[in-house]
Amino acid sequence: MNGSPKLHKQKDGRAGWRLMWAMLALLAAFPALADCDACAATARRFAVDQHFNGVILVGHGSQVDYAESFGVADAATRQPLTADTPFETGSISKWIASIVVMRLVQQGELALDEPISTYLPDYRRDNGDRLTLRELISHASGVPNEIDEAIKRDPATRDLSLSNAEAVRRFASGDLRFAPGTDWDYSHSNWLLVKAVIEQATGRDYASLVDGYLVQPLALRHSGIYRGSSSAVRGMALGYRQLAPQVLPLDKPLPDFMVLAGGFYASANDLFVLMDALFGGRLLSPESTRTLMSVERPLQNYALGGRTRTLPFDGADHPVAWEYGSNGAFRVLAWRTLDDGHSVIVMNNTSFDHLKLGELATALMEASYREQRLSRPKK
């Protein structure tokens, strides 16, 4: 008897949350562009069925065909999400870092296949003479993932303030687990070394390179590098373990020495502009772009900092720049077909099931191709 009122209250609360999510999905701000009715129908159905809190964008070439937001950026203030709301992008940051690396390679400041001891003479020589940037940014280096192991042992590692040299000494100087280039291991410690190489070779802070090569030239208004808690970024979507039946915030700060691994933030609109600029030849030369997206580790579809996969859409196979990132509560997916420029971006800040995001992206790509095919003039 004593438990019955609580049970009823809990059921009523869940019903209220279900109603709220349905209303948020149906009453969300109208997309700035809605030229893909099939995309809108697919996204809205998913948002209602899955209680999705996030942003969805679909386009092709430089054209946004559909963009819509569902839910809130801040549960306390009920600040709604928009396509201009910045999100942490997680491991998409590695792809961004690889774009910066390829820009420096293109300018002759770095070489993909030069031993990193060339740039880091104080790094342990036996490793540095064997390791290259290509192996580091394709996760084929054999450098053990000491930074993740340290964070698991002590989460306060995320709050450390260390120089590049000290971070490398502590978390990226272990004995190699395999001969470079012979295997694959997703090690965040690779990116501590890449940061050290970039900043040593250029004499510039990595964040300033991202700003100078990407943010400013492309007029990205809601993108950049964050350190510590991303909540300090103006307008940032806050992270949540869940929003219902009770709000549970989730914030995982990132130290400066890990920003290449996960410190890039962007809005959906900005990420779309960035992808279009890259594959439209406005950031790198065609040769550098091919190198960036060429698969180095076939079993993992891994190229340099990201993946290239072949996926079937609307009855045909398409090579896809396949990027996915997560950190704490944030889940961000960005796909672009490399042959004809169809793009899907999905952003979430409530710890959503990443497999379901993949299913949604597939459905949105199918809808985008179908809409384009049906809109062609009949002969």
Side-chain angles (χ1 to χ4, degrees):
M1 290 291 292
N2 290 339
S4 297
K6 292 182 180 179
L7 180 61
H8 292 160
K9 183 177 180 180
Q10 186 182 43
K11 288 182 177 180
D12 290 344
R14 288 177 179 171
W17 273 100
R18 284 196 293 271
L19 178 61
M20 185 200 77
W21 285 121
M23 292 178 66
L24 279 171
L26 293 172
L27 299 178
F30 290 108
L33 290 170
D35 294 334
C36 181
D37 292 337
C39 300
T42 299
R44 290 170 180 173
R45 183 167 58 249
F46 180 88
V48 172
D49 291 346
Q50 300 295 331
H51 304 168
F52 177 73
N53 194 93
V55 179
I56 297 171
L57 183 151
V58 182
H60 70 281
S62 59
Q63 174 70 40
V64 176
D65 297 321
Y66 167 74
E68 192 163 10
S69 57
F70 304 88
V72 296
D74 184 332
T77 65
R78 309 309 300 167
Q79 178 68 30
L81 290 164
T82 75
D84 285 325
T85 300
F87 285 69
E88 294 182 25
T89 67
S91 287
I92 288 176
S93 304
K94 299 177 178 69
W95 189 56
I96 300 300
S98 297
I99 294 172
V100 172
V101 167
M102 288 310 304
R103 178 65 175 268
L104 294 170
V105 169
Q106 188 174 296
Q107 294 170 185
E109 295 183 66
L110 292 175
L112 282 180
D113 299 311
E114 188 78 13
I116 65 169
S117 56
T118 304
Y119 311 105
L120 303 177
D122 295 332
Y123 183 61
R124 58 179 287 184
R125 196 80 184 187
D126 58 335
N127 283 0
D129 284 348
R130 302 172 67 195
L131 293 170
T132 66
L133 276 171
R134 187 189 300 274
E135 290 156 352
L136 290 172
I137 63 179
S138 64
H139 291 279
S141 68
V143 174
N145 197 7
E146 293 177 299
I147 183 58
D148 276 13
E149 293 167 5
I151 290 172
K152 288 176 183 176
R153 289 194 304 268
D154 181 9
T157 302
R158 287 180 170 272
D159 299 316
L160 290 177
S161 178
L162 302 174
S163 67
N164 278 349
E166 180 61 17
V168 166
R169 187 187 70 78
R170 290 197 198 184
F171 307 121
S173 296
D175 294 338
L176 301 183
R177 289 183 173 164
F178 52 81
T182 64
D183 206 343
W184 189 83
D185 180 38
Y186 198 76
S187 172
H188 285 118
S189 291
N190 287 322
W191 300 93
L192 278 62
L193 283 164
V194 177
K195 185 175 191 291
V197 168
I198 288 174
E199 295 189 349
Q200 181 68 27
T202 64
R204 295 175 61 185
D205 177 74
Y206 172 71
S208 74
L209 293 169
V210 171
D211 190 65
Y213 290 151
L214 304 178
V215 175
Q216 294 299 326
L218 300 179
L220 305 180
R221 297 183 296 123
H222 307 284
S223 299
I225 298 297
Y226 77 94
R227 305 172 177 89
S229 172
S230 67
S231 62
V233 175
R234 184 177 179 181
M236 175 69 73
L238 302 184
Y240 298 94
R241 194 177 302 277
Q242 64 178 43
L243 288 175
Q246 65 183 100
V247 174
L248 296 179
L250 179 60
D251 183 26
K252 288 192 173 182
L254 200 73
D256 178 69
F257 55 83
M258 287 190 70
V259 295
L260 274 71
F264 183 71
Y265 67 87
S267 67
N269 279 334
D270 278 1
L271 194 52
F272 179 80
V273 169
L274 195 156
M275 287 199 301
D276 185 59
L278 175 66
F279 296 113
R282 300 195 302 279
L283 289 179
L284 297 173
S285 68
E287 180 182 359
S288 294
T289 304
R290 282 194 297 272
T291 300
L292 177 75
M293 301 312 304
S294 294
V295 172
E296 295 280 340
R297 310 306 301 173
L299 291 179
Q300 294 80 22
N301 303 296
Y302 208 84
L304 299 181
R307 288 176 167 85
T308 299
R309 301 181 63 180
T310 298
L311 297 173
F313 301 121
D314 199 35
D317 287 341
H318 299 271
V320 180
W322 186 94
E323 311 301 340
Y324 172 76
S326 68
N327 182 45
F330 292 91
R331 308 284 187 270
V332 175
L333 176 151
W335 291 359
R336 183 179 176 99
T337 56
L338 299 178
D339 52 351
D340 53 11
H342 282 253
S343 300
V344 168
I345 294 170
V346 182
M347 296 181 150
N348 167 263
N349 61 327
T350 60
S351 309
F352 201 82
D353 183 344
H354 73 280
L355 294 177
K356 289 183 179 179
L357 292 186
E359 293 169 1
L360 171 63
T362 299
L364 290 169
M365 275 290 192
E366 290 284 358
S368 177
Y369 275 101
R370 185 166 64 253
E371 189 92 6
Q372 186 181 65
R373 174 168 47 80
L374 294 176
S375 66
R376 291 176 187 145
K378 295 182 179 179
K379 296 181 180 180

